[in-house]
Amino acid sequence: MGKGCLTATKYFLFLFNLIFFLCGAVIMGFGLWLLLDNQSFIVVLNNLTTVKVACYILIGVGAFSMLMGFLGCLGAIYEIRCLLGLYFTCLLVILIAQITAGALIYFQKDVLHEETSKIVAKVLDNYTGNNSTTEQTWDFIQRNMECCGWTGRADWKDNAIVINSSMQLFPCSCQNVSVATGNFSDSGFCEAETPVYDVGCADSVERWILTNIGVVLGICLGVAVIELLGMILSICLCKNIHTEDYTKVPKY
C-alpha cells in the first residue's frame, strides 16, 4: 500500500471511529432514556426483568462502543498496531453480540408479549388511584391513547375498588372526553355513568413498542455497518504498519 493510500486509510478510520463514538453515545442515551423515563409505557414494565436487562445491555454496549471508538481513533492517528488489533477484536465481539441479541429478541417476541400482558393485568388489578409512578404512567397512556384497559374496559373487572363499588367506578383516565360533559380528573376513580373508552390499549402500546424497537434496530444496523468498515480499515492499516513510533503518542 502506498504512503498516500496509507494516510487516506488512517484518516478514514479516524472518521469512522468518530462516527462510531457518536453512535455509541446515542445507544447509551437511548438505554438511559428507557431506564429513567417516567412518562412512557416502559414504567409499567418495571417489574419485567427482561426489559431492565435490555436497558442495561444498551447502556453497556453504548459505553463500550464509545471506548472502542476512542481507542480506534488513537490507534489510527498514532499508528499503534496493538491498539488497532485490540480494536478489531473488540469490534468483532460487539458485532457477534449484536447479532445474538437481535436473534434472541426476534425469537422471544411471543414470550415478551405474554409477559407484558401479565404485568399490565397486575397493574390494573392493583390500581388504587394513589398517583404512584406506575399508576400515573398508566393514566397517561389511557388518556393520551384514548383507550381503557389492556384489551378493553372489561379488564378492570378484577380491580378491588371497582368490585367493591359494584362496578360503579372506573379510572378517570378512561373517560371519553370527546362525548363526556363536566369537569374531568386525570387520575383516581370516577362514576361509571361517565362514558368511557371501549377499545383497549394493547394495539396502541404495541405500536409504540414496535416503533421504538424499530429505532433501536435502525441504530444498531447503522452501527453494524460502521463496525464492518472499521474492521476492514483497521486490519488493512495494521497490516501495513511496519514500524511503530511511540514518540508521537502524547505523554500525560
Side-chain angles (χ1 to χ4, degrees):
M1 185 183 289
K3 186 176 180 181
C5 290
L6 187 64
T7 302
T9 302
K10 179 171 73 172
Y11 285 106
F12 267 120
L13 183 59
F14 176 83
L15 177 62
F16 280 122
N17 276 291
L18 182 61
I19 297 172
F20 188 60
F21 180 89
L22 295 175
C23 287
V26 171
I27 292 176
M28 185 173 72
F30 191 82
L32 288 170
W33 171 69
L34 288 178
L35 192 65
L36 302 176
D37 183 37
N38 61 1
Q39 287 294 324
S40 67
F41 182 70
I42 206 71
V43 176
V44 179
L45 303 180
N46 267 342
N47 295 323
L48 192 57
T49 304
T50 308
V51 174
K52 284 189 175 181
V53 170
C55 292
Y56 287 121
I57 288 175
L58 283 173
I59 294 169
V61 168
F64 192 62
S65 298
M66 292 173 69
L67 176 62
M68 289 303 97
F70 177 73
L71 291 178
C73 286
L74 284 181
I77 289 299
Y78 297 112
E79 299 179 8
I80 303 173
R81 294 187 70 184
C82 63
L83 278 182
L84 290 172
L86 176 64
Y87 172 72
F88 175 86
T89 304
C90 290
L91 280 186
L92 183 60
V93 171
I94 291 175
L95 190 59
I96 293 172
Q98 285 176 337
I99 294 171
T100 304
L104 286 174
I105 290 172
Y106 179 78
F107 290 112
Q108 294 293 316
K109 59 183 179 181
D110 292 333
V111 176
L112 181 60
H113 181 273
E114 183 180 343
E115 288 296 319
T116 301
S117 299
K118 290 179 181 178
I119 292 293
V120 172
K122 187 176 179 181
V123 169
L124 300 185
D125 292 347
N126 296 330
Y127 184 94
T128 60
N130 290 329
N131 284 328
S132 66
T133 301
T134 302
E135 291 181 359
Q136 286 179 348
T137 301
W138 189 250
D139 285 331
F140 177 84
I141 290 169
Q142 291 192 140
R143 189 169 57 254
N144 286 275
M145 293 184 175
E146 299 182 348
C147 53
C148 186
W150 185 241
T151 58
R153 57 184 294 181
D155 292 340
W156 287 98
K157 68 182 186 300
D158 294 323
N159 179 275
I161 294 177
V162 174
I163 293 172
N164 292 335
S165 70
S166 300
M167 309 298 287
Q168 295 303 306
L169 293 177
F170 262 92
C172 297
S173 56
C174 279
Q175 290 178 311
N176 188 340
V177 295
S178 64
V179 297
T181 57
N183 296 324
F184 305 109
S185 176
D186 290 335
S187 60
F189 288 90
C190 295
E191 294 292 332
E193 286 120 7
T194 306
V196 298
Y197 298 111
D198 291 319
V199 64
C201 299
D203 290 340
S204 297
V205 168
E206 286 174 5
R207 279 196 298 270
W208 179 88
I209 291 174
L210 288 173
T211 298
N212 285 279
I213 286 178
V215 171
V216 174
L217 292 178
I219 292 172
C220 289
L221 181 61
V223 171
V225 172
I226 294 171
E227 286 169 352
L228 285 172
L229 291 172
M231 289 169 65
I232 294 170
L233 290 173
S234 64
I235 202 67
C236 289
L237 185 59
C238 190
K239 286 177 63 177
N240 286 277
I241 295 174
H242 303 294
T243 58
E244 296 174 300
D245 185 3
Y246 289 99
T247 61
K248 294 190 293 183
V249 182
K251 295 179 175 60
Y252 298 101

